[in-house]
Amino acid sequence: MKLPFLFGALLAASSALADLKPVWQIDGFKMPESVVYDEQRSQYYVSNINQGPLAVDNNGSIGLIDSNGKAHTLEWVSGLSSPKGLALKGDYLYAADTKELVVINVEEGKITARFPAPEAVVLNGLAFDKKGTLYVSDWAGNKIYKLEDNELKVWLSGKELESPNGLVVKGNHLYVASWGLNPGADFTTDTSGLLKKISLKTGKIENLREKGNDAWMNLDGLHPIDGGWLATDFMKGELLTLDDKGSIKSSEKLAPSAADFFLVEGQDLIVVPYLMANKVVAYKYEK
């Protein structure tokens, strides 16, 4: 499967912020897709896709930003292809890199392991469960992989996943921010995306709202909050507040290509990578 990933229309539709207040901004990243915060080391990690989002081209990297957004390293760790979702566990950063999962020792700044997924189309979102098992979404392949016992295997697959993107484990369920069915060349879909709830025990998939009963969404990043969720709509460039049923309670305008954000709860900051604008912006988040 190939997607040309045409973004011109997205950039042309860029709009100003409404109520979110920018705190800092760093330009010059190379198609940043995901951001995570390392509280222990007071720094952010940023994935740089750098050109083709599906390409296995060895020109992707991970960047660093200090906790105040005043200093950064564009390419802290190189040797990746098109990294997207990131997850931090202890001294190790995990990156979903198209057809493999890459593991980086953050103390050494070196890649220490690679777990191949040759049948994947584009690995994307990551989430750990309480036992330390890592789940990985295959956005265009409609699969969810599981890293267990040092092996990356398909855990769940099927069109009912509707292009799974961001992942969060909460309790005994995996929550999935889906993009929608059949993404086209311009990323538009045949159906709206949904928030999905999947039993970790049985693999049963539940849609948290019925199609047609809410606004259209193409969901990317996902983060739990009291009473519901925060999610980014990549296509519209919005930060959505969803209730526990997956319906939109409110939205804030960002700009198109707002991707896999991170909520730094202790600082009330939302840090958003803009994939096509090559920048990362931190906003004050007022609950």
Side-chain angles (χ1 to χ4, degrees):
M1 177 180 180
K2 290 186 177 180
L3 296 176
F5 290 85
L6 303 178
F7 289 98
L10 295 181
L11 294 178
S14 179
S15 56
L17 289 168
D19 298 324
L20 289 173
K21 303 295 189 293
V23 177
W24 51 259
Q25 174 176 322
I26 298 181
D27 300 301
F29 285 98
K30 298 181 178 181
M31 297 177 67
E33 202 280 337
S34 182
V35 174
V36 296
Y37 183 59
D38 185 341
E39 184 175 4
Q40 179 181 342
R41 299 167 185 86
S42 299
Q43 60 191 14
Y44 297 90
Y45 305 106
V46 181
S47 60
N48 289 299
I49 290 176
N50 192 15
Q51 300 179 12
L54 274 67
V56 180
D57 52 17
N58 203 42
N59 69 358
S61 63
I62 305 297
L64 282 182
I65 302 174
D66 74 355
S67 61
N68 298 313
K70 294 182 178 179
H72 72 284
T73 303
L74 173 60
E75 294 180 305
W76 169 61
V77 174
S78 59
L80 295 89
S81 285
S82 305
K84 298 168 187 69
L86 301 173
L88 181 68
K89 188 172 179 61
D91 292 339
Y92 295 92
L93 180 70
Y94 295 75
D97 193 16
T98 309
K99 293 181 179 292
E100 65 178 358
L101 177 69
V102 177
V103 186
I104 298 166
N105 183 314
V106 296
E107 288 291 337
E108 299 177 357
K110 295 180 180 179
I111 294 173
T112 59
R114 297 176 186 267
F115 297 97
E119 301 304 316
V121 181
V122 53
L123 298 181
N124 198 314
L126 303 175
F128 281 99
D129 68 13
K130 58 186 178 183
K131 296 179 180 179
T133 300
L134 181 62
Y135 294 84
V136 186
S137 66
D138 180 357
W139 177 78
N142 278 319
K143 296 184 182 70
I144 295 176
Y145 287 78
K146 182 164 68 169
L147 179 66
E148 196 171 35
D149 299 325
N150 288 321
E151 191 171 359
L152 195 59
K153 296 180 179 180
V154 175
W155 174 64
L156 203 60
S157 64
K159 287 189 174 181
E160 61 270 30
L161 290 170
E162 299 183 89
S163 307
N165 201 306
L167 302 179
V168 171
V169 173
K170 188 177 178 182
N172 295 318
H173 292 88
L174 177 68
Y175 291 82
V176 179
S178 78
W179 193 279
L181 275 176
N182 302 324
D186 59 357
F187 271 7
T188 60
T189 51
D190 293 344
T191 65
S192 172
L194 299 165
L195 184 60
K196 294 175 180 284
K197 178 181 178 181
I198 304 176
S199 169
L200 294 177
K201 294 181 179 180
T202 67
K204 180 182 178 182
I205 301 172
E206 177 185 353
N207 292 332
L208 292 190
R209 69 173 175 84
E210 294 297 322
K211 291 187 174 78
N213 291 344
D214 212 322
W216 193 280
M217 302 185 293
N218 296 111
L219 298 179
D220 195 321
L222 184 67
H223 197 289
I225 57 173
D226 290 342
W229 303 86
L230 289 177
T232 41
D233 185 319
F234 182 95
M235 297 293 286
K236 292 179 181 177
E238 293 181 347
L239 179 69
L240 306 176
T241 301
L242 308 177
D243 64 20
D244 59 1
K245 301 298 182 183
S247 291
I248 299 172
K249 293 172 61 178
S250 63
S251 64
E252 297 280 355
K253 288 300 290 183
L254 297 171
S257 83
D260 187 15
F261 70 98
F262 194 90
L263 173 61
V264 189
E265 303 202 32
Q267 301 178 33
D268 294 330
L269 286 181
I270 289 179
V271 184
V272 182
Y274 288 94
L275 191 146
M276 292 310 298
N278 295 319
K279 65 183 180 181
V280 176
V281 184
Y283 303 96
K284 190 68 175 177
Y285 173 63
E286 298 181 2
K287 301 177 183 178

